[in-house]
Amino acid sequence: MSVYRLNSRLREPRGLTFIILLLFLLPVLLGFMYVSLEHTRIVYGSDVDLQQAVEDAVRAAAMSVDAVSQAHAVYLIDPDKAHEMLRYTLAYNLGLDPTTLTPQQNTGLVESPSYVLLIYNGNNEYGVSACRKYTSTNPYGTDLVCDEVAFPKEVAIGSDITFGSGELSTVLESPSCVALVEAKMTDIITGENAVVSRWATGRIVSRK
């Protein structure tokens, strides 16, 4: 089709109608693409980035082996070191201040994430805490009473981490760390905050 014939058709009523319709739909189509991309960022960003950060954090925490028990070839988790490693790894992976966990620039988080960290070793003879729970509001931790039989131990994950079964639970077969992290993100289109929770378990596997 020649340029002349194309110009002639655009001058016709049908051509003008098509142009007006295209100009009307273009912002809508672009807006749809933008919303779709933002939805993808929110969904996959929260599912992948936060989940990966929590998994890395509990993995680092579980590697914080107590030196006294290790000297006896028994691998237990040092609770305070594990808690320190969890905070450090979360801060590094999510772009947070390493001391306060407040978001730095371009993190996607609205405020400091909240967390619960359960360190479970079971009763032992090495003076290591059998079970200690840390939270973002209780960074010093609280020792919990454990059963005489250490493993297996089932814990439930909800708004907290507790002993027992639940809609979402996991069974600990060896000294382990269980972390639950909740983060608030802002949708850049609606301006609304979306709260995302992710959890993970890290455990010591000893091959003798």
Side-chain angles (χ1 to χ4, degrees):
M1 182 184 294
S2 67
V3 176
Y4 174 77
R5 293 180 63 186
L6 178 62
N7 289 337
S8 298
R9 289 197 175 187
L10 290 178
R11 293 193 192 99
E12 296 175 358
R14 286 187 179 180
L16 292 175
T17 302
F18 174 76
I19 293 175
I20 293 172
L21 184 61
L22 180 61
L23 292 175
F24 175 77
L25 290 177
L26 188 59
V28 177
L29 293 173
L30 290 176
F32 176 76
M33 292 172 59
Y34 189 60
V35 170
S36 297
L37 289 173
E38 175 60 18
H39 180 266
T40 301
R41 189 192 70 82
I42 289 293
V43 171
Y44 289 97
S46 62
D47 285 352
V48 177
D49 297 340
L50 183 58
Q51 183 66 45
Q52 188 63 52
V54 177
E55 290 176 1
D56 289 347
V58 292
R59 189 179 299 112
M63 292 175 64
S64 303
V65 178
D66 175 74
V68 175
S69 67
Q70 185 178 15
H72 294 81
V74 177
Y75 300 96
L76 303 175
I77 300 170
D78 184 319
D80 288 337
K81 288 182 180 178
H83 179 231
E84 182 180 353
M85 286 304 301
L86 177 98
R87 288 178 60 94
Y88 174 83
T89 309
L90 282 177
Y92 180 82
N93 285 339
L94 295 177
L96 310 174
D97 181 274
T99 303
T100 63
L101 296 187
T102 54
Q104 298 177 331
Q105 292 183 347
N106 302 321
T107 63
L109 300 182
V110 177
E111 58 190 23
S112 301
S114 61
Y115 65 85
V116 180
L117 173 64
L118 181 72
I119 309 294
Y120 187 80
N121 287 307
N123 293 317
N124 61 87
E125 56 184 302
Y126 302 100
V128 183
S129 175
C131 182
R132 185 174 297 173
K133 181 188 288 187
Y134 299 85
T135 68
S136 46
T137 57
N138 179 22
Y140 297 104
T142 300
D143 286 318
L144 305 179
V145 178
C146 292
D147 297 333
E148 184 175 348
V149 178
F151 301 101
K153 189 68 173 179
E154 187 174 16
V155 296
I157 299 98
S159 58
D160 193 5
I161 301 174
T162 56
F163 293 131
S165 60
E167 184 176 348
L168 183 61
S169 61
T170 186
V171 177
L172 309 180
E173 303 284 355
S174 61
S176 305
C177 303
V178 185
L180 171 67
V181 179
E182 185 176 275
K184 184 180 291 185
M185 302 176 65
T186 298
D187 188 314
I188 62 174
I189 294 179
T190 65
E192 296 179 355
N193 295 330
V195 178
V196 181
S197 297
R198 295 291 179 267
W199 71 279
T201 301
R203 62 192 180 97
I204 292 179
V205 179
S206 177
R207 295 182 175 85
K208 296 183 180 181

